[in-house]
Every structure is written in C-alpha cells, then in structure tokens.
Amino acid sequence: MTMVPMNSAQVSRYGMVAITLHWVIAIGILMLIGMGLIMDHVSLDPMCVFQLYQLHKSIGITVLMLVCLRVGWRLTHAAPPLPDSMPVRERQMAHLAHLALYGLQVILPLSGWAMVSVSVLGIPTVLFGTVPWPDLPVLATLQNKGPVEAVLKGFHHWAAWTLAVLIILHVAAVLRHVFILRDSVSGRMLPWLASASRHKRWKN
Ligand code: HEM
Ligand code: HEM
C-alpha cells in the first residue's frame, strides 16, 4: 500500500475534525434556539427560568469556544473543492451563505456575552454550575447599563432569528443536493462516509 499525502485538489470531502466540529456546533446551536423559544414563549417557575438561562449561557459560551477552534481550523485547512458541474453563481452563493453562517456563529454568542456583561440584574455566569465565567471588561464597568443592554438584547434577538432562517436555507440547499442534484456535496459532511473515503484515499 502506497501512502500518498493529500493536497487540497485530491480531497473531495471534509476531514474528521471539520465534520465533528460542524455537527457538535450545529447541535449546540439548535439547542440554544430551542431554549430561546422556551425562554420567550413558555411561562416557567422562576427557578426553572434561572436554570434555563444559566444552561443557555453555558452552552452558548461553549459554542463560542468551539466556533473559534473551527474558524482557526478552517483558515488552516482548505475546504474540499465543489463539483465541477456546479455553476459559478451557485458556488458564489454557497460561499456567501457559509461566510454568513460563520459570521453569525461568532457574532451571536459574542452579543450574548456582551448582553449579560451589561445586565442590570448583574447575575454572574457560572458555566455548567462549576466554572465562573468573567463579564467582558469594559462593558461590566459601564455607568448607565440599561440602554446598552436593551440594544444588545434587540441585536441578539435579530441575529438569532437571522441565523435560524439561514440554517433553514442551508438545510434546504443540502436537501436539493440529496434529492434533486444527487451529487457528492450532501455526503461531504457525513462522519460515516468520511472514514470510508479516507481509507480509499490512502489506498491509491
Ligand atoms: C445548525 C446549524 C448549522 C450551521 C451553523 C452550519 C454551518 C455550516 C457551514 C459554515 C458550512 C461550511 C463549512 C466550510 O466550508 O467550512 C457547512 C457545510 C455543510 N453543512 Fe452545515 N450547518 C448547520 C447545520 C447543518 C445541517 C442540519 C445539515 C444537514 C442537513 C448540514 C449539512 C451540511 C453539509 C452537507 C455541508 C457541506 C456543504 C459543502 O460541502 O459545500 N448542516 N455547514
Ligand atoms: C450561537 C449561540 C447562541 C444562540 C443561537 C442563541 C440564541 C438565543 C435565542 C433564540 C434567544 C431568544 C431571543 C428572543 O427571541 O428574544 C436568546 C436569548 C438569550 N440569550 Fe442567547 N444564544 C446564543 C448565545 C448566547 C450566549 C453566549 C449568551 C450569554 C453568555 C446568551 C444569553 C442569552 C440571554 C441572557 C437571552 C435572553 C434575552 C432576553 O431576556 O431577552 N446567548 N438566545
């Protein structure tokens, strides 16, 4: 068996690290959006509300850390090339959509962190009930926090629902690749195909 190092032209799918980060972050974000819906629309007893907010903050900060890792990984590891059959306009749209998804994945948890840093209630963030998490330095010492908190709440709200819409479009695009175009794109982010194709790559 000859071992041939891969270059970006040979790689037709994402690697295991990119796939793992994509799915762990995706699950985290879907949970956070679900929690956001409950926080907004379900009346719970105050203790449950407190615990839900703490869990939301804990998962949100964890997502922020994983997204930083993911961005670093992506900047140092090229994405697999898209199929030649894909029209230029669609490639551009895909890149733009992925860029927007990355942007919101960074901005959204940052805005949440900023929001709790200026909270007039001043409730500390303790990740999963064990690790104290600091407020953002400058914001935590502001004199008049109320108006800044209101702006950040509005921003977090709109950024979250923009991300939700983008995720729906993203999933719709994937389903189009699965059921209409029937090309290789839909399988590029699936873990169980990754190991099989790595085996194939290293064999020839
Ligand atoms: C829930 C939040 C999600 C976010 C934030 C997200 C984000 C992203 C991003 C940024 C990329 C581009 C990766 C890169 O080139 O570096 C990507 C690719 C991909 N995602 Fe998602 N995703 C999410 C959910 C999903 C879901 C639910 C599916 C399955 C239906 C999915 C399937 C895919 C596939 C197949 C690709 C590869 C597309 C390609 O190769 O061009 N994603 N995702
Ligand atoms: C990708 C990460 C995140 C997502 C997808 C997300 C999503 C959401 C959603 C959908 C809501 C409900 C918004 C509304 O309808 O008004 C919400 C509210 C909230 N989020 Fe996040 N969030 C994230 C990260 C964070 C982080 C990191 C923190 C803090 C450390 C945070 C703190 C909060 C708080 C305090 C609220 C309640 C705001 C209010 O009282 O109006 N979030 N989030």
Side-chain angles (χ1 to χ4, degrees):
M1 183 173 76
T2 43
M3 301 276 259
V4 185
M6 288 173 287
N7 60 39
S8 63
Q10 286 172 287
V11 178
S12 58
R13 14 181 323 97
Y14 289 91
M16 213 50 205
V17 174
I19 291 176
T20 306
L21 286 170
H22 173 275
W23 288 110
V24 173
I25 292 168
I27 292 168
I29 288 178
L30 293 177
M31 286 171 72
L32 289 164
I33 292 177
M35 284 176 184
L37 277 173
I38 298 174
M39 281 144 94
D40 250 12
H41 300 290
V42 181
S43 57
L44 300 165
D45 75 79
M47 198 52 206
C48 275
V49 172
F50 176 80
Q51 283 167 348
L52 192 60
Y53 272 63
Q54 287 299 328
L55 188 60
H56 184 91
K57 293 195 283 180
S58 303
I59 297 177
I61 294 292
T62 309
V63 164
L64 176 62
M65 291 192 269
L66 291 173
V67 169
C68 291
L69 210 65
R70 185 175 185 192
V71 170
W73 186 264
R74 181 65 169 79
L75 290 174
T76 50
H77 296 77
L82 289 162
D84 294 338
S85 57
M86 208 165 155
V88 175
R89 177 53 65 94
E90 276 185 31
R91 285 162 190 272
Q92 288 170 340
M93 296 292 281
H95 287 140
L96 206 67
H98 290 167
L99 203 65
L101 283 167
Y102 274 122
L104 282 166
Q105 284 178 99
V106 174
I107 286 173
L108 192 51
L110 274 181
S111 70
W113 186 11
M115 176 172 52
V116 296
S117 302
V118 290
S119 169
V120 288
L121 296 174
I123 299 170
T125 302
V126 183
L127 302 184
F128 302 104
T130 46
V131 183
W133 185 257
D135 286 333
L136 279 167
V138 177
L139 293 173
T141 53
L142 278 184
Q143 287 304 310
N144 191 9
K145 291 181 177 173
V148 184
E149 185 185 7
V151 170
L152 287 168
K153 264 190 188 179
F155 183 88
H156 194 70
H157 171 91
W158 285 109
W161 298 120
T162 306
L163 177 60
V165 170
L166 269 181
I167 291 169
I168 291 169
L169 294 176
H170 177 61
V171 173
V174 173
L175 292 178
R176 179 170 169 264
H177 283 283
V178 176
F179 293 112
I180 299 173
L181 303 176
R182 294 167 188 257
D183 59 16
S184 60
V185 169
S186 48
R188 289 150 47 108
M189 208 40 116
L190 293 178
W192 50 89
L193 292 180
S195 48
S197 83
R198 191 187 319 120
H199 181 63
K200 211 163 89 198
R201 276 203 306 267
W202 283 102
K203 253 178 100 175
N204 47 34

